[in-house]
Amino acid sequence: MNVFRSLGGLIWGNSSNPELVQISSGQFYVYKSTSTRQRTKECIYIDSMATIRRTSQAHQFVLAINRVFEEGEESLQQDEEQELDDEKVFLIDEAMRFKRGLSAGATTFTWVSLSTENAGLEYEFVCDEESTVFTVNNFEITVYQCMYERKHQKSHFSAEEADIMKFQISPTITAAEPKTSTKHTPQTSATNKGKSVSTNKNKDDDGDAYQIEKPALRDVPTVYDGVAEAEGELNLYDPRTNLFMTQAENVRCQLLRTTNFTYWLVVLAKDGKQQLAQPLEPRMNPVFSQANRSFIWNYFDEQHNVYSWLIRFPTDGVLSEFQSVYGQCMYETLNQQSWSKISTEDQEYMIKTYQDDVEANENDEEEEEEEEEEEHSNDDDQSEYEDDEEEDEEEEQVSFKQDPSKNSLLAVGYKDRSFVVRGNKIGVFKHADRERLDFSTTIKNIADSKGKEINPSRVVLHEQDRSMVLMDPRNLDTAYKMDLEYGKVVEEWSMPGTSGVINLIGDSKYSHLTDNKTMVGHSHNAMFRVDPRLSGSKIAQAEFKQYAKGNDFTSIVTTDNGSVALAGSKGEVKLFNVIGKNAKTALPGIGDPIIGIDVTGNGRYVIATCKTYLMLIDVLNPENKKLGFDASFPAKDKPKCIKLQLRPEHVAAMKQAVSFTPARFNTGQNEEEKTIVTSTGSYVITWNFRRVKNGHYEYQIKQYGDDVVDNNFKYGQDRSIIVALPNDVTALPRRNMTSPTEAFKPKKA
């Protein structure tokens, strides 16, 4: 049973499908009484499947047991003298005394026939070991829901859980040593990312016992539909030891649907006591580890404290099934639409994106000889806020730093300058020796031709860094060209008919290194070329394209040859080789808005930034060796998408939710992209791009004393990162970054 595909109508949602739930493999038996009053157990079908079906009558359902034939077996049966029925059907009613049990370690379901012919006969279906906890639990609950509807002649959706569970009869155990394939002894000493998962008998450095702080419990919605359930071991991250500590064994991890497109994650102890509950949301930052059979995520309490939980599942199959269901629930949460409404090809693309969550192995940090050769052997370590300037700062620099506005935008030039926007001022900083930034000057009182103040919301360097194009958030139909030598706006470009320009960028990735005049822009649902040499409107009408209203573009980027990637608010990415035409390739999104996008110069790799993760997409078609910019991918062969994210336990150590700034590759003509940089909160984050392509997703971090506004590489290399803080701008040598393990190492008193 492919749970992920069927969840759009799971279990009751698709009224056109007569089948509600199915256990695909098991044995079917009947109990009979002999003349000596002994009960015998006879096998009816050695291989069968159990299905709960709707009937043509409202609120009436049947349990059908079908014989499963192996290849050639059905034709052989026709030659036998006695033929067996291939299907047994039972009306689902409270009187059938449906009961779950255990027999020799296997999950069983028993019930009594209500038909006149076989009245009183007891039947048993024994589930195969491959049947997951999720499947058998859903099967059992669905039977009780059917009983409720038959008894009350109304839908069970408005019923309380207690009303449904009244039909449950205590389970029976018919084996001396009961165990099921879904309950395993917890591996309390197993490692997770080099960190042992230990019991919760915690001791500090002095040997004193202490308890891990747990979040307060939440009230769970009382009206819900069970979607998935799996058993496992619950662990909580302990920041004092950097370990996950076992909190409860044999917990029930449930996904519940409370209303349309709203889901909750609830974990219950063996006795039914709640361990935790939270609605599904993007901040959960989920990571699934096949190697450790674990699901790790973040929990935020009402005071915004951050915790990291881990559930270790007993088998690969249980993890895979739960992961698939979780992915679909999250899709419906983010998009507020049914999973069944998207194409099968798009479903498969998103399934692979969720299933490609791979752990970062911090113990696998290889030395990179090429980088070592590039490093200056005489470079000294720098502090977080290295300041080699004279004690008596120039009055202009003091004035810039003391401005009540905060730094908001960063533009790194290809020559030796970086520009930081602060209110209606721009601070200019020179790239000095030893990876230092020196204050150069301030461009003050940015204003249009009428003297109206401009506080830029977007800035783009232009014409060999001699100019800067500004966007004013109060007038998105106009762009302003500033001459950086004079520090004045010298041109105003009118762009009517776009419903507001969101972004302007160069015609190609490195067009700002040339005297090229034209640019590319987009609004929420249009893309166009801007030519400032035109009179009146600066939009080249021949290269203007308005797209369907469903599009909501948020970010744009160009390649070396001028191909364009557009990203949207639902996470979709569209690739164009001509402006004013339809996209060659359209890649669906998971549902999170893309807030920034970048591309390698050759156009092969696109990196899209969402709030809590990055998507790295290889858009080279391995079959025809063409890029997605130039030719569409076959519907069933979309490109590979790698999801880069921070580990939930690191987020817990950071003590704040992830909110990435737009990720970027290092830049430079004829310079290979080697590193990816972004930031969240007070942390700068980098991934080694070359290692990511080889499946190694570890990252390095650097913390500052204030939130990072923006960051980007110094042009032409990846050794130095320019970092803008609310009240400062600095250069960060990448060698000063460390692994999260080192950064969050418990501090000894």
Side-chain angles (χ1 to χ4, degrees):
M1 176 179 169
N2 192 328
V3 176
F4 199 26
R5 291 268 186 86
S6 65
L7 188 61
L10 189 114
I11 282 180
W12 295 82
N14 187 356
S15 59
S16 63
N17 183 4
E19 296 185 355
L20 295 176
V21 63
Q22 181 182 90
I23 298 177
S24 59
S25 185
Q27 297 80 48
F28 183 46
Y29 298 90
V30 62
Y31 287 92
K32 294 183 178 179
S33 298
T34 65
S35 56
T36 58
R37 295 185 179 180
Q38 291 182 335
R39 295 180 76 216
T40 61
K41 181 177 177 180
E42 296 181 6
C43 182
I44 301 176
Y45 304 144
I46 191 64
D47 195 0
S48 60
M49 59 183 176
T51 308
I52 299 175
R53 297 180 188 153
R54 292 182 172 91
T55 67
S56 57
Q57 186 173 334
H59 309 300
Q60 183 162 299
F61 308 87
V62 295
L63 167 59
I65 309 296
N66 291 85
R67 183 179 181 187
V68 176
F69 293 95
E70 294 187 8
E71 187 175 354
E73 187 179 0
E74 188 172 10
S75 59
L76 288 173
Q77 183 195 335
Q78 295 176 357
D79 298 331
E80 296 178 2
E81 292 182 6
Q82 261 188 332
E83 288 190 10
L84 292 173
D85 292 334
D86 298 334
E87 181 179 75
K88 298 285 187 181
V89 178
F90 305 89
L91 176 66
I92 297 179
D93 186 274
E94 182 179 12
M96 71 189 300
R97 297 189 56 77
F98 183 87
K99 183 166 54 176
R100 178 173 174 172
L102 290 173
S103 178
T107 300
T108 66
F109 293 112
T110 58
W111 63 93
V112 174
S113 174
L114 303 179
S115 68
T116 305
E117 182 181 356
N118 298 311
L121 282 181
E122 184 176 350
Y123 292 88
E124 180 181 60
F125 183 85
V126 181
C127 305
D128 274 359
E129 290 186 358
E130 293 139 9
S131 302
T132 65
V133 173
F134 162 72
T135 302
V136 296
N137 284 353
N138 262 334
F139 192 90
E140 180 186 10
I141 294 297
T142 304
V143 170
Y144 303 147
Q145 291 167 342
C146 293
M147 289 179 178
Y148 178 91
E149 293 204 4
R150 175 169 169 78
K151 180 176 182 178
H152 299 284
Q153 289 297 296
K154 65 179 182 179
S155 172
H156 71 277
F157 283 105
S158 60
E160 298 285 344
E161 179 183 12
D163 294 330
I164 299 293
M165 299 312 293
K166 285 179 180 178
F167 297 96
Q168 184 180 41
I169 300 174
S170 299
T172 58
I173 298 175
T174 58
E177 297 180 2
K179 28 171 140 158
T180 72
S181 61
T182 58
K183 291 189 178 180
H184 290 242
T185 302
Q187 301 177 4
T188 56
S189 62
T191 59
N192 176 50
K193 296 293 303 146
K195 304 174 182 179
S196 62
V197 179
S198 311
T199 65
N200 67 349
K201 294 180 180 179
N202 310 324
K203 294 185 178 181
D204 59 20
D205 292 338
D206 297 326
D208 298 326
Y210 68 93
Q211 290 292 325
I212 305 177
E213 181 184 355
K214 294 183 181 181
L217 298 178
R218 287 177 174 169
D219 292 333
V220 181
T222 56
V223 178
Y224 58 82
D225 216 13
V227 173
E229 180 174 304
E231 292 185 1
E233 174 193 274
L234 181 66
N235 300 266
L236 178 62
Y237 175 70
D238 180 9
R240 297 178 64 170
T241 62
N242 271 353
L243 301 175
F244 279 98
M245 301 297 184
T246 303
Q247 303 301 301
E249 300 175 359
N250 301 321
V251 297
R252 294 158 54 199
C253 182
Q254 300 177 329
L255 289 171
L256 310 178
R257 178 169 47 212
T258 57
T259 60
N260 274 346
F261 315 129
T262 301
Y263 296 88
W264 277 66
L265 172 68
V266 177
V267 179
L268 304 176
K270 189 162 48 176
D271 59 3
K273 184 178 179 181
Q274 183 199 133
Q275 297 292 303
L276 67 96
Q278 66 184 119
L280 263 60
E281 57 170 332
R283 292 189 305 171
M284 289 176 67
N285 191 37
V287 170
F288 293 91
S289 168
Q290 294 291 335
N292 293 292
R293 297 175 181 166
S294 63
F295 165 44
I296 315 171
W297 74 98
N298 287 123
Y299 178 100
F300 297 83
D301 66 14
E302 294 180 354
Q303 288 73 42
H304 306 292
N305 297 312
V306 191
Y307 302 84
S308 181
W309 291 97
L310 177 150
I311 286 189
R312 187 179 301 279
F313 295 104
T315 67
D316 294 340
V318 174
L319 169 65
S320 179
E321 200 163 2
F322 184 87
Q323 178 180 353
S324 295
V325 175
Y326 177 93
Q328 184 172 341
C329 291
M330 184 59 79
Y331 173 86
E332 294 195 354
T333 298
L334 294 172
N335 293 275
Q336 292 296 291
Q337 72 169 13
S338 172
W339 174 257
S340 61
K341 289 190 175 182
I342 61 175
S343 68
T344 302
E345 292 76 20
D346 286 353
Q347 288 179 356
E348 291 177 352
Y349 173 77
M350 283 182 273
I351 290 170
K352 290 179 181 178
T353 300
Y354 262 104
Q355 291 179 343
D356 274 341
D357 288 339
V358 179
E359 292 185 273
N361 189 352
E362 296 160 8
N363 297 321
D364 190 25
E365 297 171 354
E366 300 176 358
E367 295 294 328
E368 299 180 25
E369 292 80 8
E370 294 180 26
E371 282 189 357
E372 292 298 324
E373 292 174 2
E374 294 171 350
E375 298 289 352
H376 298 288
S377 59
N378 61 345
D379 282 344
D380 297 323
D381 287 341
Q382 296 174 315
S383 67
E384 290 182 359
Y385 293 95
E386 180 180 35
D387 193 352
D388 245 2
E389 299 168 356
E390 299 292 334
E391 290 184 8
D392 298 325
E393 294 177 298
E394 296 180 5
E395 183 178 344
E396 187 177 8
Q397 182 176 5
V398 174
S399 175
F400 179 75
K401 285 192 172 184
Q402 291 180 347
D403 188 289
S405 300
K406 302 294 184 182
N407 295 337
S408 59
L409 300 171
L410 171 69
V412 179
Y414 83 94
K415 293 181 179 178
D416 62 350
R417 296 286 190 276
S418 285
F419 305 85
V420 178
V421 175
R422 190 181 182 94
N424 72 329
K425 298 181 178 67
I426 297 177
V428 184
F429 295 83
K430 182 179 180 180
H431 302 166
D433 295 335
R434 295 176 61 194
E435 296 171 346
R436 191 183 73 245
L437 288 181
D438 288 343
F439 179 82
S440 179
T441 188
T442 301
I443 299 173
K444 303 176 182 179
N445 303 321
I446 305 171
D448 62 15
S449 59
K450 297 179 181 179
K452 188 176 180 180
E453 180 181 286
I454 297 175
N455 293 309
S457 59
R458 306 280 184 185
V459 294
V460 183
L461 291 168
H462 193 48
E463 296 176 326
Q464 296 186 330
D465 289 2
R466 295 193 304 269
S467 304
M468 179 181 283
V469 179
L470 317 173
M471 297 294 298
D472 183 350
R474 297 169 299 182
N475 184 12
L476 294 178
D477 290 330
T478 303
Y480 302 88
K481 175 185 170 183
M482 170 181 282
D483 186 316
L484 290 174
E485 293 182 9
Y486 292 97
K488 300 293 183 183
V489 171
V490 294
E491 294 180 15
E492 297 183 7
W493 303 344
S494 176
M495 301 173 292
T498 64
S499 300
V501 178
I502 296 175
N503 285 299
L504 285 176
I505 58 168
D507 271 348
S508 62
K509 190 173 180 71
Y510 297 111
S511 64
H512 64 287
L513 277 61
T514 71
D515 284 324
N516 183 61
K517 307 297 182 185
T518 59
M519 304 186 79
V520 179
H522 76 88
S523 64
H524 285 290
N525 65 337
M527 181 171 62
F528 42 84
R529 194 180 302 278
V530 174
D531 188 345
R533 297 166 297 189
L534 297 173
S535 61
S537 173
K538 306 304 180 183
I539 294 178
Q541 293 301 319
E543 295 179 279
F544 176 90
K545 175 74 172 178
Q546 190 107 19
Y547 299 92
K549 291 183 178 179
N551 289 289
D552 186 11
F553 301 132
T554 58
S555 307
I556 189 170
V557 69
T558 51
T559 67
D560 280 354
N561 67 3
S563 296
V564 178
L566 261 177
S569 63
K570 294 297 184 182
E572 68 275 23
V573 175
K574 297 187 176 183
L575 308 179
F576 304 80
N577 65 351
V578 177
I579 297 173
K581 303 293 184 181
N582 289 329
K584 286 290 184 180
T585 298
L587 303 175
I590 297 174
D592 295 292
I594 292 176
I595 60 174
I597 190 167
D598 198 9
V599 65
T600 54
N602 62 10
R604 174 163 180 181
Y605 291 94
V606 173
I607 190 158
T609 306
C610 297
K611 185 175 181 179
T612 60
Y613 60 89
L614 314 179
M615 293 189 297
L616 179 67
I617 309 169
D618 182 354
V619 299
L620 178 68
N621 189 328
E623 298 298 324
N624 59 20
K625 305 301 180 183
K626 291 185 178 181
L627 296 175
F629 292 98
D630 303 315
S632 59
F633 281 80
K636 295 185 178 180
D637 191 21
K638 292 187 183 295
K640 180 181 180 182
C641 177
I642 296 173
K643 194 175 174 191
L644 299 176
Q645 61 190 117
L646 304 185
R647 293 192 57 80
E649 62 267 33
H650 297 160
V651 178
M654 291 177 178
K655 300 181 180 180
Q656 58 185 327
V658 176
S659 183
F660 283 133
T661 57
R664 298 181 177 95
F665 297 107
N666 61 291
T667 60
Q669 281 188 313
N670 304 317
E671 175 78 13
E672 180 187 2
E673 290 87 358
K674 302 173 185 175
T675 309
I676 300 166
V677 66
T678 183
S679 62
T680 176
S682 59
Y683 295 87
V684 175
I685 317 289
T686 60
W687 279 268
N688 185 315
F689 179 44
R690 292 175 293 184
R691 288 180 57 75
V692 167
K693 289 185 288 185
N694 291 323
H696 303 282
Y697 301 162
E698 69 274 5
Y699 46 87
Q700 293 189 312
I701 68 175
K702 174 69 173 180
Q703 185 178 16
Y704 283 87
D706 209 340
D707 285 349
V708 177
V709 173
D710 200 0
N711 46 223
N712 203 349
F713 292 102
K714 186 177 176 181
Y715 179 83
Q717 43 90 348
D718 70 336
R719 298 188 307 274
S720 181
I721 302 168
I722 310 301
V723 180
L725 305 164
N727 294 296
D728 200 2
V729 57
T730 185
L732 167 64
R734 194 161 60 83
R735 66 177 181 276
N736 287 357
M737 303 187 72
T738 61
S739 71
T741 299
E742 183 67 25
F744 300 129
K745 183 183 296 183
K747 296 179 180 179
K748 296 183 179 180

